[in-house]
Amino acid sequence: MIPGPTPVPEKVLQALGKHPIGHRSKDFQNLVEITTTNLRWLHQTQNDVLTITGSGTAAMEAGIINTLSKGDKVVCGENGKFGQRWVKVAKEFGLDVINIKSEWGTPLNPDEFKRVLEEDKQKKIKAVILTHSETSTGVINDLKTISTYIREHKVALSIVDCVTSIGACDVPVDEWELDIVASGSQKGYMIPPGLSFISMSKKAWEATEKSNLPKFYLNLKSYKKSLAINSNPYTPAVNLVFALDESLKMMKEEGLENIFKKHEKHKLAVSSAVKVLGLKLFADERFLSPSITAIKTEQFDAEDFRKKIKDKFDILLAGGQDHLKGKIFRVGHLGYVNDRDIISVISAISYTLLDQNIISPQQAGEALNVASKHLNVS
Ligand SMILES: Cc1ncc(COP(=O)(O)O)c(C=O)c1O
């Protein structure tokens, strides 16, 4: 129950175990054609969605180095570990970063984006870069509202980390006119780590013509050229593409609405149960990520608690990152997770608290009761 790598369905595991095929073969081209069509479906877009062999950060970096130039002014939203990563990447490539920060656990304030973008009369800002679902804190940022301000600016591109939101909640790329959307395979996609995805709008492709940052492996023009013949510029992780094909088919069968509803009910089940257990949510309750719930542990050490749950129940929970280590634990409910997993994790948390006399048996019962009310909603 961590926010990635997430559980992998049996069918997907079997696809991984197939003998690899030539990446220049007709069979593989057919596969690329199908997966690309289905990736567009998942992203709700007509834009190109490129598959890169590399983790989510490869797609994040690709978004920056393909569309921007040294010294470009960019706005970076930062309210957690992954927002911080954007700032690091941007600075590494010599971009001039305007940082919009928010306390870890609270969402980015869309009004600040509005103000900064409106004040930029000379249209110096070339991109607004942010994380949709901030995995380190369990906060979902209001990308929908922020994207409207980016559009009104007209010049700035939106570059968004949707690593733990694609495949978990609604990210209508075309409707919100998102230019660059990065994600990774070991999350909502239900396949092992190793692939990342990047969707590129027409405006994003136009920006690639002016970009002067160094790039070779992650030069997206090569990927676009190859995609025209359903191919890849370099040897892709063929078996992960087999897995992707299978997982996207499973997702299509389930349907986007059902996928989003499932994540929503799991989020509500976990968050309502932990409150009954007397624990506090780390994130602002109005902005809970559908993929992960971060829980404060004021009365005990979170690392010790995680270890107890791993040893006793073989359930792995995520810890806090950086200054939050020992202070929070995080329950991932992203991807191939079902109601039984949710009931198990709530029971494991309850048992461990009960065992330490932190809660009463009544609270343990009530936690399952409130969770089930959400789980019963199909
Ligand atoms: C929101 C977010 N962004 C980026 C990443 C980085 O992805 P990767 O570790 O696949 O490079 C992660 C991974 O946990 C994430 O959750």
Side-chain angles (χ1 to χ4, degrees):
M1 302 296 283
I2 61 171
T6 59
V8 179
E10 196 67 28
K11 268 191 196 171
V12 177
L13 287 173
Q14 277 167 5
L16 276 170
K18 285 202 239 172
H19 198 283
I21 59 173
H23 61 290
R24 304 282 175 226
S25 66
K26 184 77 190 126
D27 283 347
F28 193 71
Q29 283 178 318
N30 290 341
L31 202 59
V32 171
E33 188 175 3
I34 296 167
T35 53
T36 303
T37 305
N38 289 342
L39 283 169
R40 285 205 179 102
W41 163 81
L42 181 65
H43 286 71
Q44 305 180 61
T45 187
Q46 298 302 313
N47 291 339
D48 292 315
V49 185
L50 307 168
T51 302
I52 300 169
T53 300
S55 78
T57 310
M60 290 169 66
E61 180 166 325
I64 286 188
I65 62 179
N66 281 275
T67 56
L68 297 167
S69 297
K70 202 169 166 56
D72 274 355
K73 201 179 268 300
V74 296
V75 174
C76 280
E78 183 190 329
N79 59 337
K81 180 88 183 163
F82 295 101
Q84 226 170 41
R85 183 168 300 175
W86 273 131
V87 175
K88 279 189 191 160
V89 180
K91 288 195 172 158
E92 190 64 36
F93 286 100
L95 304 181
D96 178 9
V97 175
I98 303 171
N99 212 335
I100 294 184
K101 280 193 182 188
S102 187
E103 281 285 303
W104 287 35
T106 62
L108 293 168
N109 181 352
D111 291 345
E112 286 189 49
F113 287 81
K114 184 175 197 270
R115 182 183 54 76
V116 169
L117 289 164
E118 279 179 359
E119 280 171 12
D120 180 35
K121 302 283 181 237
Q122 294 181 322
K123 306 290 175 192
K124 287 268 196 288
I125 296 170
K126 297 291 181 269
V128 177
I129 306 173
L130 71 149
T131 308
H132 189 197
S133 160
E134 183 45 85
T135 320
S136 60
T137 62
V139 166
I140 186 118
N141 286 310
D142 184 358
L143 178 58
K144 183 178 181 185
T145 306
I146 295 171
S147 71
T148 60
Y149 301 142
I150 304 173
R151 264 179 274 158
E152 281 161 12
H153 180 274
K154 301 262 188 308
V155 169
L157 293 168
S158 48
I159 306 184
V160 197
D161 168 349
C162 289
V163 170
T164 52
S165 59
I166 283 274
C169 62
D170 200 21
V171 188
V173 171
D174 284 356
E175 192 188 317
W176 294 356
E177 292 180 43
L178 301 173
D179 295 304
I180 299 169
V181 172
S183 57
S185 57
Q186 76 279 23
K187 308 286 184 179
Y189 290 89
M190 314 184 288
I191 65 179
L195 294 182
S196 56
F197 310 95
I198 183 161
S199 100
M200 295 276 292
S201 71
K202 189 164 169 278
K203 188 170 157 190
W205 284 121
E206 281 162 11
T208 63
E209 296 306 322
K210 287 181 241 143
S211 161
N212 69 9
L213 292 174
K215 49 201 161 270
F216 182 78
Y217 183 73
L218 292 177
N219 186 335
L220 296 180
K221 282 189 192 166
S222 317
Y223 288 80
K224 185 176 168 70
K225 199 168 151 214
S226 294
L227 196 64
I229 51 164
N230 295 313
S231 191
N232 283 258
Y234 316 108
T235 314
V238 169
N239 289 53
L240 286 172
V241 180
F242 290 151
L244 175 68
D245 180 40
E246 207 54 62
S247 70
L248 287 170
K249 280 180 184 150
M250 285 179 70
M251 289 171 101
K252 280 191 93 167
E253 263 171 41
E254 189 172 357
L256 283 181
E257 280 308 311
N258 290 333
I259 293 172
F260 303 157
K261 266 194 216 158
K262 179 182 71 187
H263 284 81
E264 181 67 16
K265 74 176 182 177
H266 288 166
K267 170 190 95 175
L268 292 173
V270 172
S271 55
S272 60
V274 295
K275 282 192 292 177
V276 169
L277 297 174
L279 300 175
K280 291 198 181 107
L281 299 172
F282 182 73
D284 181 330
E285 203 167 332
R286 293 162 303 162
F287 295 91
L288 294 180
S289 167
S291 309
I292 180 141
T293 303
I295 298 144
K296 287 192 209 173
T297 55
E298 285 156 341
Q299 308 117 292
F300 52 89
D301 179 67
E303 290 305 289
D304 178 55
F305 188 71
R306 285 201 315 125
K307 185 172 181 311
K308 285 194 168 78
I309 291 192
K310 177 74 180 84
D311 291 349
K312 177 92 183 157
F313 298 100
D314 198 23
I315 296 176
L316 182 65
L317 301 175
Q321 290 169 294
D322 295 349
H323 62 283
L324 294 177
K325 199 171 176 73
K327 300 201 168 107
I328 63 167
F329 67 91
R330 295 172 300 146
V331 179
H333 31 81
L334 169 62
Y336 192 54
V337 168
N338 62 22
D339 289 3
R340 184 191 58 191
D341 299 319
I342 300 294
I343 291 288
S344 303
V345 76
I346 292 169
S347 304
I349 293 170
S350 303
Y351 174 92
T352 311
L353 293 171
L354 195 55
D355 198 42
Q356 296 175 89
N357 294 319
I358 296 175
I359 59 163
S360 65
Q362 286 74 14
Q363 276 174 293
E366 186 53 20
L368 279 178
N369 187 27
V370 293
S372 324
K373 284 189 183 137
H374 292 292
L375 299 178
N376 284 337
V377 181
S378 62

